[in-house]
Amino acid sequence: MFADISFPISSYQVFSYKIPDQLKSKASIGLRVMAPVRNRKVQGIIVSLKDTTDFKGNIREIDSLVDESPVLNDQLWSLITWLADYYNTPLGVAAKAALPANLSATYEPRSQFYVKAKTGGIPLAANAKSQIALLAHLSKINEFVPASTLGEHASSPIDVCRKLAEKGWAELLEKPVLPDLAGFSFNPIHKKVRFTEYQEKALSQLKTSMDGSEFSPFLLHGVTGSGKTEIYIEAARHGINQNKSVIMLLPEIALTPQIAGRFKAAFGDDVALWHSKLSQSARAWTWKKICSGDYKVVVGARSAIFAPLKNLGLVVVDEEQESAYKQDSPDPRYHARDVALMRGKIHGATVVLASATPSMESYYNHINGKFEYIHLPERFGGAKYPQVHVVDMIKESEETEVYGGIFSRSLLDKIQDRLDKKEQIILLHNRRGYAPVLRCDDCGEVSMCPHCQVALTFHKNGKFLQCHFCNHTQRNLPNKCRECHSINIKLSGIGTQKVEDELISKFPDASIARVDGDAIRSGLNISEVLQQFSEGEIKILLGTQMIAKGLDFANATLVGIINGDTGLYLPDFRAGEKVFQLIYQAAGRSGRGRIPGEVVVQSYNQENAVIQCATQLDLKKYYNICLDERQALNYPPFSWIVRLEVHGKNKSAVENAIQRLKNRFKNIPKGIEILGPAYCYRERLRDQYRMQIVMKSKKEYDPNGGKLHAYYKSIIKSNNGAKLKGGLRLIVDVNPVSLL
Ligand code: ADP
Ligand code: ZN
Ligand code: ZN
């Protein structure tokens, strides 16, 4: 018997080995082995088994097996090989993205005792007061509870429970404390669920599909608060009952502790949370437990799509339009939504892409009949859509003679009104820091990062300027303009810290929390803040786009968007779509409970179609406008895109290299269009000059993208496998989420 072994070296090339007789019965795909490579023994993974080999050279034998049970299954291996090919990454690099770094790490989770009362024990001594009291309490609950939570009833509850168990009055159970809870999920929330007619219908569509065990993709388009999460849970339950497993993807697990909590409540120890904050060893441990079938459900961010579950029946991608699903770097630059679809194909699973604001791609796939469509047009429980007001900030400035102010009068009034009514407020401002730019009043020169073509942002706490791309920090603020030496340099623009200052001065008695990248980096525990907000301790929640989605707080009745225009004029084909989605989603945080909500959007571009449609909550209208635009300009979803980007420290070397690359574009197939080379929008980042060529392929001539795929590969191959010399790098981005 022979095996193909893949080694985690940069190429991850696959090599054939012989399996010695004594290991034959144990060898299987996904097991790690030690095998000789030159004169060393190296760890690799068995990726296929066969009876014969066509390898002609001297074939060597596997030395030993590392695992008892496989750390990979063949379906996952097919996915990894697809990933490598589709995103043009060496197999090894693709495998690294999928597998935890150090699978050999040892880790044992702490364990915890659970206890439950039973009957028929031997009589307890009359003076064993705590035993009697505890037993009385346990009999009332009559289900397993963690012994550590019984401190109220006995000073050392575990000892007392042990005694009760010895005497036959209690059952004790030791269970590992899973490494995933702390900070990433709310306490399990139990609630009674009665599905609405829409939900029932959605569920029956999903269940029928899951019963069929064939790949079927769905777009679940449900307005904010329509009860999508309850549907995920019920569909997952259906899968588990059929002994299938489930992957639940969330764009950013730390920001959605509520959803994780709801899954925990529903499935308890059957759920693993998979996220970047797990330690390496906890990750390896969780991986192995998933392999051995201990978990039925994996809830996690992007990389959870690679969880080695067997018998996968359902994959849900929540907020599928989120760009957090796209890995930016390192390679492979995969999109978890696309990987989810491929994984669904491999497993014959049901894949649900869900959102209140679907991506243009998924929306178009539904229009074209490629995805089955489920629509939930109403909020659950009769909650009304919020009323949206747009404040024209140009008019506001003229009337108040305050230019560049943060709050309009109407937003201030409404905030005060909610505070008076003991309701809560969510304020969105998609710009962190204090002031985004330091500008010379005389010549207009802006302080830029020395490493990037990006303006430095002023941060008030600590008084420094920082680049939000490379984190370059400048502690001595310039006292005069670099260009004209004028001393008239001023901070301008508005960041969340400035908004916070203004809030504190306007509403000194309200408790305010600011959630943004800076706050989190300086130790803010986001799930704690969200918990406090949900309990009403915090009245005003201010944050960047982090707080715009997925949160469900019944008492938040006002959402204010300080600057609805942020990002509107970025030179990217998705700029409008993103602004629309952000406003629409943020509005969806308002009025989710009994009390109707309101939304205030401040804008300097009232007439803009994005602002108009978003504030009218008219999704269909905007999506039609947007699709027309994309079609006219031949952008996705009407075309496939591959972006080739050359990076380097030396500007002219970058220019020359990309020009050489461009010269290789010959015999361009019909339907493929080449843009560039041109400098990227941010022409220098982290000391690297960046130029790009964008290849677009019309779907009309290239329905599944295969043509573009073959063509760009041929170009790169002819360019010596894309290897550039002299510190230059070529980055291949397949289906980029932005062209900035
Ligand atoms: P979405 O994910 O679509 O934004 P959620 O699933 O968070 O919506 O639902 C909004 C609120 O309504 C949540 O508090 C949820 O628990 C509740 N809810 C939704 N459907 C039901 C149901 N059938 N029975 C009880 N509560 C429900
Ligand atoms: Zn100047
Ligand atoms: Zn920088």
Side-chain angles (χ1 to χ4, degrees):
M1 191 155 70
F2 300 90
D4 283 340
I5 310 289
S6 169
F7 295 97
I9 46 182
S10 75
S11 68
Y12 245 78
Q13 222 180 317
V14 172
F15 298 93
S16 296
Y17 283 83
K18 189 163 188 287
I19 299 173
D21 289 341
Q22 74 275 16
L23 298 181
K24 265 185 189 163
S25 61
K26 289 188 194 146
S28 74
I29 290 177
L31 278 187
R32 285 175 304 161
V33 299
M34 297 304 287
V37 175
R38 296 209 187 89
N39 47 12
R40 289 187 307 137
K41 288 199 176 65
V42 178
Q43 196 180 85
I45 295 184
I46 302 182
V47 296
S48 72
L49 290 170
K50 46 201 177 185
D51 292 327
T52 57
T53 177
D54 30 15
F55 182 70
K56 294 288 181 297
N58 169 28
I59 206 155
R60 302 175 78 178
E61 280 194 353
I62 284 170
D63 197 66
S64 58
L65 303 179
V66 176
D67 303 297
E68 295 277 311
S69 52
V71 293
L72 200 70
N73 55 50
D74 46 351
Q75 288 152 321
L76 189 53
W77 186 253
S78 325
L79 186 72
I80 292 171
T81 42
W82 170 82
L83 194 74
D85 175 59
Y86 191 73
Y87 292 103
N88 194 59
T89 330
L91 194 53
V93 179
K96 259 192 194 149
L99 296 167
N102 182 5
L103 267 167
S104 309
T106 52
Y107 170 86
E108 271 308 317
R110 238 168 8 96
S111 61
Q112 191 177 22
F113 282 101
Y114 285 74
V115 61
K116 182 183 170 188
K118 61 180 196 186
T119 50
I122 56 173
L124 297 175
N127 61 354
K129 293 236 166 62
S130 31
Q131 294 176 32
I132 294 170
L134 197 61
L135 180 56
H137 175 71
L138 289 174
S139 313
K140 254 190 287 168
I141 311 177
N142 201 27
E143 61 179 49
F144 278 103
V145 289
S148 57
T149 60
L150 301 169
E152 241 178 84
H153 306 273
S155 54
S156 58
I158 295 176
D159 292 341
V160 181
C161 289
R162 279 214 180 90
K163 292 221 176 82
L164 285 174
E166 273 163 31
K167 292 178 183 159
W169 287 109
E171 237 179 296
L172 259 187
L173 201 75
E174 193 177 354
K175 279 204 282 190
V177 180
L178 304 177
D180 52 19
L181 260 174
F184 289 95
S185 109
F186 276 15
N187 293 331
I189 306 148
H190 294 273
K191 63 162 79 165
K192 263 218 152 51
V193 172
R194 265 198 68 209
F195 291 112
T196 63
E197 220 170 288
Y198 283 115
Q199 285 175 320
E200 284 290 0
K201 189 160 165 266
L203 277 166
S204 97
Q205 269 176 278
L206 292 178
K207 286 180 182 173
T208 311
S209 152
M210 290 168 74
D211 292 344
S213 300
E214 253 174 54
F215 168 59
S216 38
F218 285 84
L219 172 61
L220 170 54
H221 176 199
V223 298
T224 55
S226 56
K228 292 186 290 298
T229 311
E230 301 296 346
I231 291 178
Y232 311 154
I233 291 173
E234 186 59 23
R237 197 188 316 278
H238 186 72
I240 292 171
N241 289 341
Q242 295 176 325
N243 208 17
K244 287 180 178 167
S245 58
V246 177
I247 296 178
M248 171 78 225
L249 292 187
L250 302 169
E252 173 52 288
I253 191 159
L255 300 181
T256 37
Q258 288 178 317
I259 298 183
R262 282 156 78 177
F263 268 79
K264 278 278 173 192
F267 305 114
D269 294 343
D270 281 343
V271 188
L273 296 194
W274 185 262
H275 54 79
S276 58
K277 297 283 164 12
L278 284 179
S279 69
Q280 226 188 62
S281 47
R283 193 174 266 267
W285 181 85
T286 308
W287 184 273
K288 283 185 253 180
K289 288 281 168 192
I290 298 172
C291 282
S292 56
D294 286 20
Y295 292 117
K296 295 284 174 279
V297 183
V298 175
V299 177
R302 187 167 71 216
S303 66
I305 194 55
F306 300 111
L309 289 160
K310 272 178 250 165
N311 210 8
L312 185 66
L314 175 69
V315 183
V316 178
V317 185
D318 189 37
E319 305 290 3
E320 60 90 27
Q321 81 287 356
E322 272 293 307
S323 45
Y325 285 123
K326 171 89 172 174
Q327 174 145 309
D328 230 1
S329 73
D331 285 349
R333 294 167 184 247
Y334 68 89
H335 199 303
R337 176 184 63 216
D338 298 337
V339 180
L341 290 166
M342 183 44 70
R343 186 141 194 210
K345 246 181 221 169
I346 294 172
H347 286 260
T350 297
V351 179
V352 180
L353 310 183
S355 180
T357 52
S359 61
M360 277 313 146
E361 278 86 348
S362 299
Y363 189 73
Y364 183 68
N365 277 333
H366 132 61
I367 292 176
N368 269 351
K370 284 200 177 157
F371 292 170
E372 248 185 272
Y373 184 64
I374 299 177
H375 194 200
L376 302 175
E378 286 172 7
R379 283 190 151 186
F380 176 77
K384 297 254 176 336
Y385 279 123
Q387 206 188 350
V388 186
H389 313 273
V390 196
V391 177
D392 180 349
M393 291 301 277
I394 297 180
K395 223 161 114 203
E396 179 80 12
S397 313
E398 284 164 0
E399 285 172 14
T400 57
E401 297 189 356
V402 176
Y403 294 88
I406 298 178
F407 293 107
S408 59
R409 292 160 296 175
S410 114
L411 182 52
L412 284 178
D413 289 347
K414 288 185 197 298
I415 293 175
Q416 186 60 56
D417 174 64
R418 299 310 140 119
L419 290 173
D420 294 344
K421 289 183 182 148
K422 308 239 173 312
E423 293 168 15
Q424 290 167 295
I425 300 133
I426 296 177
L427 293 175
L428 177 79
H429 186 61
N430 210 7
R431 202 104 204 228
R432 66 188 168 90
Y434 186 83
V437 287
L438 187 62
R439 188 196 306 271
C440 168
D441 249 8
D442 290 333
C443 77
E445 171 78 9
V446 167
S447 288
M448 303 289 282
C449 172
H451 310 287
C452 309
Q453 196 205 24
V454 169
L456 293 168
T457 297
F458 178 69
H459 289 248
K460 196 176 166 227
N461 311 345
K463 293 210 172 27
F464 56 88
L465 291 168
Q466 191 182 48
C467 167
H468 285 176
F469 275 86
C470 71
N471 286 334
H472 165 81
T473 307
Q474 204 166 305
R475 299 213 173 259
N476 324 341
L477 301 193
N479 46 18
K480 55 179 190 240
C481 171
R482 213 172 34 154
E483 272 310 294
C484 74
H485 308 291
S486 151
I487 53 162
N488 276 333
I489 47 175
K490 296 220 175 88
L491 292 171
S492 76
I494 300 164
T496 42
Q497 294 174 3
K498 196 169 184 175
V499 179
E500 185 184 26
D501 271 12
E502 180 113 344
L503 271 176
I504 294 172
S505 79
K506 294 253 158 45
F507 307 102
D509 300 328
S511 54
I512 301 164
R514 173 170 58 86
V515 175
D516 57 25
D518 298 315
I520 288 174
R521 256 184 301 279
S522 50
L524 175 107
N525 179 336
I526 182 158
S527 86
E528 218 170 273
V529 170
L530 297 179
Q531 183 87 46
Q532 286 166 359
F533 189 69
S534 85
E535 284 161 6
E537 278 167 50
I538 292 170
K539 295 293 181 235
I540 305 179
L541 185 66
L542 160 69
T544 52
Q545 97 291 343
M546 291 183 161
I547 58 166
K549 283 169 219 127
L551 301 178
D552 180 30
F553 300 110
N555 197 39
T557 56
L558 176 65
V559 166
I561 301 176
I562 311 276
N563 185 353
D565 309 328
T566 310
L568 200 54
Y569 293 110
L570 282 175
D572 183 64
F573 69 97
R574 270 185 242 267
E577 174 184 349
K578 285 199 176 141
V579 174
F580 177 88
Q581 288 165 343
L582 188 64
I583 296 179
Y584 188 101
Q585 289 272 2
R589 301 310 112 212
S590 178
R592 292 168 72 90
R594 255 178 331 97
I595 319 169
E598 269 184 303
V599 180
V600 174
V601 181
Q602 304 187 144
S603 167
Y604 291 88
N605 294 279
Q606 263 224 67
E607 304 294 313
N608 185 292
V610 175
I611 302 291
Q612 289 217 339
C613 298
T615 52
Q616 289 157 8
L617 301 178
D618 194 342
L619 184 135
K620 219 169 170 174
K621 184 167 163 201
Y622 177 69
Y623 277 40
N624 285 332
I625 295 176
C626 188
L627 284 177
D628 283 348
E629 244 175 53
R630 300 278 180 90
Q631 183 158 31
L633 300 172
N634 192 27
Y635 274 114
F638 296 91
S639 64
W640 304 99
I641 295 193
V642 171
R643 195 167 67 98
L644 305 178
E645 184 181 318
V646 175
H647 274 192
K649 279 204 161 136
N650 180 315
K651 195 168 177 181
S652 61
V654 171
E655 285 171 356
N656 293 336
I658 200 135
Q659 193 52 52
R660 276 198 305 277
L661 187 62
K662 174 71 189 262
N663 294 341
R664 298 189 181 272
F665 286 82
K666 293 187 185 116
N667 308 323
I668 300 171
K670 185 170 180 179
I672 294 184
E673 182 191 344
I674 313 293
L675 304 178
Y679 273 103
C680 301
Y681 168 63
R682 297 184 181 96
E683 84 173 48
R684 198 164 66 114
L685 286 181
R686 300 178 187 88
D687 288 322
Q688 302 277 313
Y689 287 93
R690 311 161 64 221
M691 292 191 78
Q692 64 182 18
I693 293 174
V694 174
M695 311 169 73
K696 297 199 278 186
S697 181
K698 238 193 180 92
K699 278 194 186 163
E700 202 181 326
Y701 301 104
D702 190 6
N704 57 18
K707 204 167 171 180
L708 180 60
H709 188 77
Y711 184 61
Y712 93 76
K713 288 225 165 186
S714 76
I715 299 276
I716 289 176
K717 222 180 191 159
S718 74
N719 206 40
N720 188 19
K723 283 200 191 72
L724 292 174
K725 289 197 203 80
L728 295 174
R729 253 191 89 201
L730 173 67
I731 288 166
V732 179
D733 195 349
V734 177
N735 308 333
V737 288
S738 99
L739 296 179
L740 292 178

